[in-house]
Amino acid sequence: MQNNVIGRLGALFAGSLVKQIMIGLVAGVALAWFSPDAALAVGLLGELFVRALKAVAPLLVLVLVISSIANHQQGQKTNIRPIIMLYLLSTFFAAVVAVIFSHLFPQTLSMNVGATQITPPSGIGEVLHGLLISMVSNPIEALINANYIGILVWALGLGLAFRHASPGSKAFLNDASSAATWVVRCVIRCAPLGIFGLVASILASTGFDAIWEYANLLTLLLGCMLIMALVINPMLVLLRIRRNPYPLVFTCLRESGVTAFFTRSSAANIPVNMALAKRLNLDEDTYSVSIPLGATISMAGASITITVLTLAAVHTLGISVDVPTAILLSLVASLCACGASGVAGGSLLLIPVACNMFGIPNDLAMQVVAVGFIIGVLQDSAETALNSSTDILFTAAVCQAEAERAPRRTVSE
């Protein structure tokens, strides 16, 4: 009997995270509707989930960035360079789109600010001053205080230093990165219970107006992602292939984006993109490198998520944002997106880095992360679909452009 119960629990824990989060979401709404007192009590589950995220996120960022830089390989085919440029431009433009539409349609969040004292920066000068001070923080202190700017700087420096280390040391960093990612996966597997507690307690304490708030936020996120997929990315492709980009765009969205929407993992969608690249007769030496690389640095969807949720927190707290600060936020969000981990909801864990720019404490930043998990059933699926379809789209655009230029060069010679 006991083994049977354990087996059922194990099967439940190993099931679809998306379905479990949806069940937790519905259960939280139902509990808040029928028993507000019980809903407030299960808020402990949400608090534990947020605290677990707060505990693991700083270490995850440090280890992932060190390992990624230390194990980076040089000397790749030159066609990779324009593809990487398109990846980075798309990620940056995604942040700019998110800033513009967050300004046009400002969002606010239900957050427990309490007695937290927040001193917002007065302008770009104070923001830069705070960033520079955070950059030279003691690494142990940066980890303890969740100073993500300091963590990123130390991770960058250590990663560059470890590039000259022995293969054994690099293998250890790889193992450490895998171990940290495994711990994060364990925490995120508890998301259904955390979401259940968060939704129930929030609705019981603030009322059902919060559902409308989440719907508006999700609409803004999905709208920005659609603009990137159907407007900005096609414009970037047009600059490369000099013809109507939409047949290629729709092929990539249909063949790659739809699959990625349900797998919710750019890494898991790599074989799908590889197969599509082969069917499109692309250069194998190029796509065998660019597609796995894109799963790491082509993160337009993550850039939108980080920017929109950060600005939602900024608007909630009444912090003003001038144009230079908005541009700096776009750059920071782009860098954060490129460092997003490969697990579901990985981009959410880097929101505190952007929040640090505005003096938002880690406690409040993690409440924003929790909101991201609440809407993550659709947000993370759409984000992954945009990220993964962009990988194959830009790879195909560059390969096709190079293939068309080759005969012209041959004739001219």
Side-chain angles (χ1 to χ4, degrees):
M1 179 68 178
Q2 184 178 0
N3 291 336
N4 191 23
V5 172
I6 294 175
R8 289 181 179 178
L9 289 175
L12 179 63
F13 191 73
S16 170
L17 183 63
V18 176
K19 293 179 181 177
Q20 292 176 2
I21 289 179
M22 291 179 68
I23 292 172
L25 187 62
V26 172
V29 172
L31 184 62
W33 179 269
F34 291 108
S35 179
D37 292 337
L40 292 173
V42 299
L44 176 63
L45 295 175
E47 183 180 352
L48 290 174
F49 177 61
V50 172
R51 285 184 175 272
L53 289 174
K54 288 168 57 179
V56 75
L59 183 63
L60 175 72
V61 172
L62 178 69
V63 175
L64 282 179
V65 174
I66 292 176
S67 175
S68 176
I69 295 175
N71 289 283
H72 174 69
Q73 300 295 325
Q74 291 182 327
Q76 304 292 355
K77 188 175 173 69
T78 54
N79 277 353
I80 298 297
R81 190 169 299 171
I83 296 175
I84 292 176
M85 184 60 65
L86 287 174
Y87 285 165
L88 297 179
L89 283 174
S90 176
T91 303
F92 174 72
F93 287 150
V96 173
V97 167
V99 167
I100 292 172
F101 281 89
S102 292
H103 176 71
L104 294 176
F105 306 100
Q107 303 294 311
T108 56
L109 305 172
S110 297
M111 300 171 63
N112 182 20
V113 178
T116 305
Q117 296 295 321
I118 302 172
T119 305
S122 58
I124 185 66
E126 191 171 342
V127 170
L128 289 174
H129 179 270
L131 284 175
L132 292 174
I133 295 299
S134 297
M135 288 170 64
V136 296
S137 175
N138 180 286
I140 305 300
E141 184 180 303
L143 283 171
I144 293 174
N145 297 326
N147 171 14
Y148 288 89
I149 302 298
I151 291 171
L152 285 174
V153 169
W154 277 101
L156 176 64
L158 291 173
L160 292 173
F162 273 113
R163 292 189 67 175
H164 306 287
S166 65
S169 298
K170 292 182 179 180
F172 168 76
L173 290 173
N174 236 359
D175 292 341
S177 175
S178 299
T181 302
W182 182 84
V183 172
V184 172
R185 284 197 179 101
C186 291
V187 173
I188 291 179
R189 287 302 310 188
C190 298
L193 290 175
I195 297 306
F196 167 66
L198 286 168
V199 170
S201 60
I202 288 174
L203 293 181
S205 58
T206 64
F208 281 79
D209 290 340
I211 293 180
W212 180 247
E213 170 189 297
Y214 295 147
N216 286 338
L217 182 62
L218 184 60
T219 300
L220 177 60
L221 282 165
L222 297 182
C224 291
M225 291 178 191
L226 282 174
I227 290 172
M228 281 303 302
L230 300 178
V231 180
I232 306 299
N233 282 350
M235 290 174 61
L236 293 173
V237 171
L238 177 62
L239 294 176
R240 297 297 307 183
I241 64 177
R242 305 292 181 180
R243 64 174 185 272
N244 181 10
Y246 283 99
L248 181 59
V249 169
F250 290 135
T251 297
C252 294
L253 287 173
R254 182 180 65 252
E255 301 287 335
S256 175
V258 173
T259 306
F261 184 89
F262 292 102
T263 62
R264 300 174 71 239
S265 170
S266 295
N269 213 48
I270 287 175
V272 176
N273 282 346
M274 290 282 198
L276 177 56
K278 189 173 183 178
R279 290 200 300 274
L280 293 173
N281 295 318
L282 305 184
D283 178 41
E284 186 175 358
D285 290 335
T286 298
Y287 74 71
S288 63
V289 175
S290 67
I291 289 177
L293 184 63
T296 304
I297 67 171
S298 177
M299 292 289 174
S303 183
I304 288 171
T305 297
I306 293 169
T307 304
V308 168
L309 288 175
T310 298
L311 288 177
V314 167
H315 292 143
T316 300
L317 299 171
I319 301 173
S320 61
V321 181
D322 54 22
V323 173
T325 303
I327 295 173
L328 183 60
L329 172 61
S330 299
L331 290 171
V332 171
S334 302
L335 292 173
C336 291
C338 291
S341 63
V343 298
S347 60
L348 299 176
L349 299 179
L350 291 169
I351 289 174
V353 181
C355 286
N356 278 180
M357 284 181 53
F358 300 96
I360 298 175
N362 194 47
D363 287 344
L364 297 182
M366 280 304 172
Q367 290 184 44
V368 180
V369 174
V371 170
F373 276 105
I374 291 174
I375 63 175
V377 173
L378 285 177
Q379 169 270 322
D380 194 50
S381 295
E383 175 186 314
T384 307
L386 174 59
N387 291 342
S388 189
S389 62
T390 299
D391 300 346
I392 181 63
L393 174 65
F394 289 156
T395 297
V398 171
C399 288
Q400 290 180 1
E402 290 298 319
E404 291 173 1
R405 289 193 187 99
R408 296 179 205 156
R409 285 197 292 264
T410 302
V411 171
S412 63
E413 291 172 359

